[in-house]
Amino acid sequence: MNHENTQAQMRKGILEFCILSILNKKEAYPSEVLEQLKNAKMIVVEGTLYPLLTRLKNMELLSYRWEESTSGPPRKYYSITANGQATLSALEQTWNELQNAVETLRT
Amino acid sequence: MKKTLSIHLGRQLFTIEEDAYQRLTEYLKRLEQSLSPEEDVKEILEDIEMRCAEIFQMKLTENKMIVVTLKEVEEAIVSLGEPEVISEESGSFQSTNTNASSKEEDVKRRLFRDMDNASLAGICAGMAAYLNIDVVIMRILFTISLFMGFGFPLYIILWIVIPNAKTPSDRLQLRGKPVTVDTIKEEISRTAKNKKSEFMQATEKWRNNPQVSERARHLFGIFAKLIGVGFIAFSCIWLIGFTLTVTGVLQIFPVTGDQNYASFREYLLLVCPNENNSLNFMWWSILITGFTAPLIGLIIGIRIFMNKKSKFFTISLIGLPLVFVCGIIMIIISTIHTLRDYEAYADYENKHLTIQSDELILEELPLKINNRKIVNHGGFNFFNIRNGRLTDHGVHIKYKETTDTVFHIYQVLSARGIDLTAASKRSEHIQHKMTISGNKLLIDPYYNYPLSDGLRDQEIEIIIEVPKGKKLFINGLETKIDGKEYGGVLYSDEAFESYAEEEDD
């Protein structure tokens, strides 16, 4: 574990961005969020999601409700809040700016 | 078969195997520790537990199982992710991370006994780890101190005073490693890799029983080992000795005559002359008993020493004593059979002489060896066997008054047997020399009988009836005759003594 790990830092920031994007499209269970991340080839372990979701919820960017399930106990069903959407827009802007800057510098 | 527990995980009830439970608990604990306390650790943990329960439920249904095993737990952990990865990726790590001291800092060391590398009580291993030197060096030092005298009490004191390294954190502190989540994880997996034999696990479970003091039990373990070694050693010695004696390689039974030492079987022949297989029966019963006993001892010794229960041990520890008891019974039977051969006795009157002189002088027949008269001899102690005949020493002399006017001398040969016929046959076989010349009665203090008759209490009795008023001299001394019956035994190297015998009515 290294405070200095740039890669981890990058991934962490981007993961939050990704989660907000996913939930912006539609409400989802954590497992569904994971599924979509996998499909987009964003590889994370399941466990990573939970602290992130909780943190985003604590920052009131996400909310959840309990969905009853026929097979087993109820599950958390996450959705994006208005605050979340606002943050998402800001993040999208930052992302675009970063992308442009990096592309320019690389070529 | 494995022990299971019931757990309530993520709002579901599961039956889980013991080792899977350990793994799961350890994982959840590590997870908890690695998450930053500024966040909702509780909620995150709950979420993960619920997800874990979901995974378990899915797998159980998929595979039609009812119990969560280690496999499911490990698959779930792979899916959920290791705590370090989770906390790093989610940026949720402990800011007060003691991993900063991954450099060789002066972490405070504490001295423990290291039971994992212990040979006896872990004292040398513990001190060696503490001082960062080789265990062997430590043990050499201790052995030297043992010979210098203070080693043994020093060891006992250290054993009592130095605590045992029980937890992984103890073990880390012993070696001066920092105690963090990572190092503890390392330590756990390191010690788990040391394949503990059944023995260690059994004694460990036994040791961890809080009802008996740990040290007492360990001491007992060592004591038991010593006893086990003792059993093995003693049984081996017995086995070797017995085999040598029985096969006749070792001839330690002293005799004189044709050989100087006889083998065990030859000795046995004296008592059980080979008629009707009585000797063979006795022989086999002795063999059975004599071989089974050390085998039992060996197995007991090995069992104690290795503290292993196995079917082989149990079977042999039931079977062998049974065989042993059979052997004992056989010995008893053959002994009784042999004793019966002593029941009947027959006294056979071989010679009857009369002497008309006034005095009878009784003397030892002079011993002639190679036609040379031996004047004095003695020291005859062991069986003398020569040319198939056994020579014995000591002739009974009995004398009493008679109303007759002449001396009567009787030579009686006596032997024992299972019945009168057998006894009297044996008595006929006895040879004894007795001669008269004038008024001198010469009696050989030795007599002999065939070896094949066996030891059956063969004896010679010379009965002398002395007319009233006449005198009897034995070996130069006048005997006293006053109406009683006297008897004594004539040996060649002792003065003749006689005693009045009780009259039996």
Side-chain angles (χ1 to χ4, degrees):
Chain A
M1 277 226 265
N2 211 326
H3 296 262
E4 263 75 13
N5 195 325
T6 326
Q7 274 180 315
Q9 290 290 305
M10 283 170 86
R11 279 172 65 85
K12 174 209 158 200
I14 290 172
L15 269 178
E16 290 180 342
F17 181 30
C18 292
I19 292 176
L20 288 172
S21 306
I22 294 173
L23 289 172
N24 190 36
K25 293 193 200 145
K26 192 170 154 317
E27 305 178 286
Y29 297 112
S31 45
E32 286 173 339
V33 173
L34 185 71
E35 184 76 30
Q36 294 189 46
L37 284 170
K38 271 210 194 116
N39 289 338
K41 306 249 182 0
M42 187 72 166
I43 309 297
V44 287
V45 287
E46 271 186 65
T48 317
L49 276 183
Y50 297 100
L52 286 172
L53 286 168
T54 310
R55 190 183 306 142
L56 290 172
K57 179 214 77 182
N58 287 342
M59 296 197 297
E60 290 180 9
L61 304 179
L62 296 177
S63 66
Y64 67 80
R65 65 169 200 275
W66 290 102
E67 268 286 299
E68 291 296 324
S69 145
T70 45
S71 55
R75 299 186 292 169
K76 285 184 181 172
Y77 206 44
Y78 280 93
S79 51
I80 197 164
T81 64
N83 277 346
Q85 282 173 323
T87 313
L88 180 59
S89 318
L91 280 175
E92 277 172 355
Q93 207 177 355
T94 316
W95 174 252
N96 288 331
E97 285 169 8
L98 276 174
Q99 238 192 338
N100 288 335
V102 169
E103 273 306 305
T104 317
L105 291 169
R106 274 179 56 198
T107 45
Chain B
M1 182 188 80
K2 287 196 183 162
K3 192 166 153 208
T4 62
L5 318 160
S6 235
I7 56 170
H8 182 207
L9 175 77
R11 302 197 195 185
Q12 296 194 52
L13 191 62
F14 290 102
T15 308
I16 182 171
E17 286 180 353
E18 198 177 14
D19 50 356
Y21 171 74
Q22 312 269 30
R23 187 84 178 86
L24 185 60
T25 317
E26 174 210 19
Y27 171 73
L28 293 173
K29 233 185 234 151
R30 275 173 31 221
L31 199 54
E32 188 178 349
Q33 284 172 341
S34 69
L35 290 173
S36 159
E38 294 141 16
E39 306 198 325
D40 251 316
V41 176
K42 191 155 167 286
E43 184 165 359
I44 298 175
L45 219 52
E46 259 176 35
D47 281 343
I48 293 188
E49 285 188 10
M50 285 193 68
R51 178 62 192 144
C52 193
E54 260 176 44
I55 297 178
F56 285 163
Q57 190 54 57
M58 244 170 30
K59 290 191 190 278
L60 290 185
T61 328
E62 221 173 81
N63 299 322
K64 298 205 180 80
M65 291 177 18
I66 51 173
V67 172
V68 177
T69 71
L70 198 55
K71 179 160 168 275
E72 280 78 49
V73 171
E74 296 200 327
E75 284 175 356
I77 292 180
V78 165
S79 189
L80 290 167
E82 291 285 346
E84 296 75 36
V85 176
I86 294 179
S87 50
E88 193 172 315
E89 296 255 296
S90 60
S92 168
F93 40 73
Q94 287 227 17
S95 48
T96 54
N97 206 321
T98 49
N99 264 348
S101 58
S102 54
K103 337 159 197 157
E104 288 282 321
E105 269 185 22
D106 238 342
V107 183
K108 177 155 176 262
R109 287 194 183 219
R110 293 183 58 201
L111 179 60
F112 288 98
R113 290 185 289 119
D114 185 1
M115 287 307 296
D116 294 323
N117 299 324
S119 59
L120 251 189
I123 289 175
C124 290
M127 289 178 65
Y130 184 79
L131 298 170
N132 234 338
I133 58 178
D134 194 28
V135 196
V136 180
I137 308 270
M138 205 65 225
R139 292 204 176 117
I140 292 178
L141 285 176
F142 245 100
T143 314
I144 295 177
S145 81
L146 191 76
F147 283 116
M148 301 220 289
F150 59 86
F152 184 63
L154 178 66
Y155 197 84
I156 302 290
I157 293 174
L158 286 177
W159 189 353
I160 297 175
V161 167
I162 305 181
N164 186 16
K166 289 202 194 73
T167 72
S169 122
D170 286 346
R171 288 195 276 269
L172 288 170
Q173 284 179 324
L174 171 63
R175 289 177 174 81
K177 291 201 197 135
V179 183
T180 68
V181 176
D182 272 348
T183 54
I184 288 186
K185 184 169 80 116
E186 258 177 58
E187 191 63 33
I188 292 177
S189 58
R190 196 180 64 83
T191 51
K193 273 197 200 127
N194 297 339
K195 271 215 207 114
K196 291 185 187 171
S197 69
E198 250 179 65
F199 166 58
M200 290 295 291
Q201 281 172 350
T203 45
E204 209 180 87
K205 279 192 200 129
W206 185 55
R207 263 189 242 151
N208 290 338
N209 185 334
Q211 284 173 3
V212 185
S213 118
E214 180 203 303
R215 288 188 200 110
R217 240 175 295 116
H218 191 61
L219 209 69
F220 182 72
I222 297 177
F223 189 59
K225 261 198 203 174
L226 288 175
I227 293 184
V229 172
F231 261 97
I232 295 177
F234 189 72
S235 302
C236 283
I237 294 176
W238 169 269
L239 200 58
I240 295 174
F242 187 71
T243 316
L244 289 178
T245 309
V246 145
T247 52
V249 172
L250 207 61
Q251 299 192 332
I252 54 170
F253 298 92
V255 289
T256 50
D258 289 331
Q259 325 170 39
N260 286 332
Y261 292 96
S263 74
F264 184 51
R265 195 181 162 103
E266 284 165 335
Y267 234 51
L268 211 55
L269 257 175
L270 293 176
V271 181
C272 300
N274 202 353
E275 27 107 332
N276 301 336
N277 299 320
S278 69
L279 174 70
N280 280 329
F281 190 71
M282 173 73 100
W283 183 245
W284 281 109
S285 58
I286 292 181
L287 247 65
I288 291 177
T289 323
F291 277 117
T292 324
L295 282 178
I296 295 179
L298 264 177
I299 294 196
I300 291 181
I302 296 178
R303 165 81 164 74
I304 293 181
F305 186 72
M306 305 212 299
N307 202 16
K308 211 173 25 178
K309 270 198 204 232
S310 96
K311 222 169 150 204
F312 171 70
F313 286 143
T314 325
I315 291 180
S316 51
L317 277 183
I318 295 178
L320 282 180
L322 274 178
V323 176
F324 182 73
V325 169
C326 282
I328 298 273
I329 292 178
M330 282 168 72
I331 290 184
I332 294 178
I333 292 177
S334 52
T335 310
I336 293 176
H337 180 81
T338 309
L339 284 176
R340 285 183 65 205
D341 210 24
Y342 280 79
E343 271 185 22
Y345 68 93
D347 297 346
Y348 166 60
E349 191 182 288
N350 195 25
K351 286 198 187 146
H352 178 188
L353 308 169
T354 55
I355 307 243
Q356 292 188 335
S357 61
D358 289 332
E359 288 174 352
L360 179 61
I361 300 176
L362 195 155
E363 273 179 14
E364 268 176 44
L365 185 73
L367 184 63
K368 283 206 182 137
I369 298 181
N370 295 333
N371 279 323
R372 293 146 91 236
K373 181 166 155 192
I374 307 295
V375 178
N376 225 350
H377 61 282
F380 177 83
N381 276 327
F382 302 112
F383 292 117
N384 186 310
I385 302 173
R386 225 179 254 281
N387 295 333
R389 294 192 77 89
L390 198 149
T391 306
D392 208 348
H393 186 207
V395 168
H396 293 258
I397 315 272
K398 280 201 185 132
Y399 52 91
K400 60 183 184 194
E401 242 179 28
T402 176
T403 47
D404 205 359
T405 52
V406 291
F407 285 96
H408 290 267
I409 303 161
Y410 303 91
Q411 183 201 52
V412 176
L413 312 176
S414 163
R416 287 182 174 268
I418 196 165
D419 59 5
L420 274 182
T421 320
S424 91
K425 227 196 322 181
R426 284 202 179 99
S427 62
E428 278 172 37
H429 292 160
I430 308 177
Q431 288 176 359
H432 177 241
K433 283 209 273 300
M434 185 176 85
T435 57
I436 287 267
S437 81
N439 64 348
K440 262 212 187 146
L441 178 63
L442 297 171
I443 301 185
D444 191 356
Y446 298 97
Y447 59 98
N448 62 67
Y449 50 92
L451 191 58
S452 51
D453 273 356
L455 291 173
R456 287 294 179 269
D457 213 14
Q458 284 89 339
E459 283 181 352
I460 308 284
E461 235 181 35
I462 310 291
I463 304 180
I464 306 174
E465 290 176 1
V466 184
K468 208 161 173 163
K470 299 210 174 161
K471 294 203 180 134
L472 168 68
F473 293 87
I474 299 186
N475 272 351
L477 294 173
E478 182 174 342
T479 59
K480 191 171 65 161
I481 308 179
D482 48 16
K484 295 205 201 110
E485 198 174 301
Y486 287 85
V489 187
L490 179 68
Y491 291 106
S492 62
D493 51 0
E494 286 172 22
F496 180 76
E497 279 177 29
S498 61
Y499 306 92
E501 297 204 12
E502 300 290 323
E503 294 270 342
D504 30 29
D505 301 310

